[in-house]
């Protein structure tokens, strides 16, 4: 991991990656009044076929040192990722704003899908593994996720940037 201080001219130290992950390891809910700028929303940016950006709010989960999300393969983000897996995910917390750059990989391992279904269910979305064993179903999901089945994706980060919103301030970029 290679950190770069983006706020050196202000004489602020690098942000420690462990500080970022410690915050992410706590649940980041999307309920109003629970943090961030009143709540935490993750934003996923993918690349449309014509090269233009597509950004949409998603319910991402930080687990095992990575962000995970689910969506239907026929959604715009699902089609974009099938064609080009490069993406960014951003989230605002009370301490910092964070952007993760990387690639999203479709996860089909039944054990991993089942584990993530349990994580999401414990977090309040009552999803379950569908009959294929490689996707999720539930009585409801976000309208932008399309209809079931919902497939699980893991973002493998190659870079991240955090901007502290609290004292002492600072901005750091990491390459992984």
């Amino acid at each position: 991991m290679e950190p770069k201080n983006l706020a050196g001219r202000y004489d602020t130290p690098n942000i420690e990656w462990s500080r970022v992950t410690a915050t992410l390891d706590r649940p980041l809910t999307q309920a109003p009044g629970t943090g961030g700028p009143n709540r935490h929303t993750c934003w996923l940016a993918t690349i449309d076929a014509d090269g233009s950006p597509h950004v949409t709010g998603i319910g991402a989960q930080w687990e095992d040192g990575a962000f995970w999300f689910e969506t239907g393969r026929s959604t715009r983000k699902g089609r974009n990722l099938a064609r080009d897996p490069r993406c960014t995910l951003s989230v605002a917390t009370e301490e910092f704003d964070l952007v993760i750059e990387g690639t999203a990989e479709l996860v089909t391992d039944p054990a991993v899908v089942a584990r993530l279904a349990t994580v999401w269910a414990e977090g309040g979305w009552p999803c379950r593994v569908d009959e294929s064993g490689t996707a999720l179903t539930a009585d409801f999901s976000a309208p932008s996720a399309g209809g079931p089945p919902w497939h699980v994706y893991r973002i493998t980060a190659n870079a991240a940037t955090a901007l502290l919103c609290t004292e002492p301030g600072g901005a750091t970029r990491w390459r992984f």
Side-chain angles (χ1 to χ4, degrees):
M1 180 183 316
E2 179 184 321
K4 179 180 181 183
N5 190 335
L6 301 179
R9 73 181 280 195
Y10 299 106
D11 201 29
T12 59
N14 274 334
I15 302 166
E16 295 296 323
W17 181 246
S18 60
R19 179 179 182 175
V20 172
T21 59
T23 297
L24 297 176
D25 285 340
R26 297 189 302 260
L28 297 177
T29 69
Q30 290 191 27
T34 60
N38 191 33
R39 64 189 172 99
H40 304 287
T41 298
C42 291
W43 297 95
L44 180 72
T46 60
I47 303 168
D48 278 336
D50 67 359
S52 62
H54 172 252
V55 180
T56 188
I58 62 168
Q61 177 71 44
W62 176 261
E63 184 74 20
D64 297 332
F67 275 106
W68 303 74
F69 67 95
E70 50 74 28
T71 193
R73 286 187 186 177
S74 64
T75 63
R76 188 169 169 189
K77 60 187 163 288
R79 293 188 316 268
N80 284 351
L81 292 170
R83 189 187 61 265
D84 185 339
R86 294 177 296 164
C87 63
T88 62
L89 183 134
S90 60
V91 63
T93 73
E94 290 186 64
E95 297 175 59
F96 54 81
D97 296 334
L98 177 67
V99 176
I100 300 285
E101 301 171 31
T103 56
E105 175 188 0
L106 175 66
V107 177
T108 57
D109 180 321
V112 175
V113 171
R115 185 171 56 79
L116 266 293
T118 299
V119 168
W120 274 307
E122 289 172 353
W125 178 46
C127 67
R128 58 197 176 279
V129 178
D130 74 358
E131 62 279 350
S132 75
T134 61
L136 305 175
T137 190
D139 295 335
F140 64 89
S141 186
S144 65
W150 297 295
H151 297 272
V152 175
Y153 292 80
R154 179 184 190 273
I155 297 177
T156 300
N158 56 42
T161 303
L163 172 64
L164 280 183
C165 303
T166 59
E167 293 295 328
T172 301
R173 179 170 175 80
W174 299 269
R175 294 227 181 255
F176 303 106

